[in-house]
Amino acid sequence: MSETPLLVRDVPEEALLARIFPLLPTAPTTLVGPGDDCAVVAAPDGRYVVSTDVLVEDRHFRRRWSSGYDVGWRAAVQNLADVVSMGARPAALVVSLVMPGDLPVDWVTGLARGLADACTPLGAAVVGGDLSGGDQVVVAVTVHGDLEGRAPVLRSGARPGDVVALAGSLGRSAAGLALLDAGRGDVDDALVAAYLRPDPPLAAGPAAADAGATAMMDVSDGLLRDAGRIARASGAVLDLAPATLGADRDRLRAAAGALAGHAGAAGDAGDAPGAGAAEDRAEGWVLSGGEDHALLATFPAHATLPAGFRAIGVVRPADDDGAGVRLDGAVPHRAPGWDHFRA
């Protein structure tokens, strides 16, 4: 007979925090950690970068697919990616957690372990946060980063002649989500894992800044959408070469073929059986799928790309269609990616 799981409503808040605090990662820059009204974090550079993001149950994740560990990992990674894409080193996170009383305590401690395992390799600490009750799980993270003397790498720095480069994978997380949404998570464990626990090359962000990156951001909402953000901020065109983006296509095509007949899975356009439909769906994941958190950057034409980056295009002056993204010189005609209010 299995034991009844201990639920959040059965544990006083102080006792729950006593279970969480020992699991959270620490760092030398943490001068005062969890337990006071505020944390105190050293800022040796004299500046810090800060960002925030949120995961909402049944919009960004479903508990029937995702363990607490998965959600903690994802919540950390999506924030860490924002910091490294500025060229900074992640230093400290604060985490606010809203949860229903019937949530198992083990799910919450799993979330803390996921946060810790994602943060520890980068030397980032979780220094505090807040707990509250609610009808669904909401995880809100604010992250701070140390520029370590670097200039921040903005979206607005791309210039005509720069090389567009990418570190990490595209389309894998979107494919994993589509498989889960269609009840076909058994088709490809690696793609499902890419959605549940994205693992981008976060150390490549500061390396890109050191190598002279002129603009950078992480691909969280789809390559076309996020490349368009750099293009518009820079007043330029990012002209991408689709042929350079095919590293994952064979695997994605196989997953897309397994979804034939599952029209609309995870928000994709429906497809009928056939190689052409699978190819188109795989292409859509690569160009418009988000949450792999690959790093998209531009570099001066003669710069040596840092390890992990590959050239995928070039920056050109804005043309008659204005600033934006082109695919082999043409305006793309597919949906660019995730939109929080139209998804």
Side-chain angles (χ1 to χ4, degrees):
M1 180 182 297
S2 61
E3 293 185 8
T4 302
L6 185 65
L7 304 180
V8 166
R9 65 184 175 217
D10 301 325
V11 181
E13 181 177 347
E14 292 79 5
L16 183 59
L17 290 172
R19 291 171 179 259
I20 294 172
F21 284 167
L23 304 175
L24 301 178
T26 60
T29 53
T30 304
L31 305 181
V32 177
D36 276 84
D37 285 352
C38 293
V40 180
V41 180
D45 180 88
R47 305 165 297 170
Y48 62 89
V49 300
V50 59
S51 183
T52 189
D53 217 331
V54 65
L55 288 174
V56 179
E57 184 179 1
D58 293 332
R59 184 160 184 86
H60 300 105
F61 69 91
R62 292 187 172 92
R63 271 194 276 156
R64 71 174 183 270
W65 303 337
S66 300
S67 66
Y69 186 100
D70 295 332
V71 175
W73 178 282
R74 285 187 64 208
V77 165
Q78 68 185 32
N79 282 274
L80 298 170
D82 285 335
V83 167
V84 303
S85 68
M86 297 290 288
R89 180 188 61 78
L93 290 77
V94 292
V95 181
S96 293
L97 177 61
V98 178
M99 52 192 167
D102 61 358
L103 187 70
V105 169
D106 284 350
W107 198 96
V108 181
T109 56
L111 183 141
R113 290 188 175 92
L115 287 166
D117 285 353
C119 290
T120 297
L122 295 173
V126 176
V127 298
D130 190 30
L131 300 178
S132 182
D135 294 335
Q136 61 188 148
V137 177
V138 179
V139 186
V141 177
T142 298
V143 60
H144 300 80
D146 182 0
L147 285 163
E148 300 178 316
R150 305 179 188 91
V153 184
L154 308 181
R155 299 178 182 183
S156 56
R159 296 294 177 262
D162 284 356
V163 173
V164 182
L166 184 86
S169 299
L170 294 172
R172 294 167 65 87
S173 178
L177 173 56
L179 290 171
L180 287 169
D181 194 53
R184 297 300 312 277
D186 60 316
V187 168
D188 193 316
D189 290 343
L191 295 181
V192 169
Y195 165 71
L196 295 176
R197 301 180 192 177
D199 191 20
L202 298 175
D210 291 338
T214 54
M216 184 161 51
M217 68 179 299
D218 74 300
V219 181
S220 57
D221 294 332
L223 177 64
L224 294 182
R225 186 173 294 282
D226 289 329
R229 288 168 171 155
I230 291 178
R232 288 187 294 276
S234 300
V237 163
L238 267 61
D239 192 0
L240 309 181
T244 65
L245 303 174
D248 289 318
R249 275 216 186 91
D250 287 345
R251 176 168 239 153
L252 296 179
R253 270 196 297 268
L259 289 178
H262 293 277
D268 287 333
D271 59 3
E279 176 70 28
D280 183 68
R281 191 169 215 167
E283 182 90 355
W285 287 334
V286 169
L287 295 176
S288 303
E291 296 191 323
D292 290 289
H293 299 290
L295 299 182
L296 179 68
T298 60
F299 295 87
H302 300 296
T304 299
L305 297 183
F309 278 90
R310 64 189 188 275
I312 64 168
V314 65
V315 181
R316 304 192 189 282
D319 55 25
D320 291 342
D321 291 311
V325 181
R326 309 290 181 265
L327 297 178
D328 286 335
V331 176
H333 294 293
R334 69 166 65 245
W338 173 260
D339 185 313
H340 291 278
F341 301 102
R342 295 184 179 180

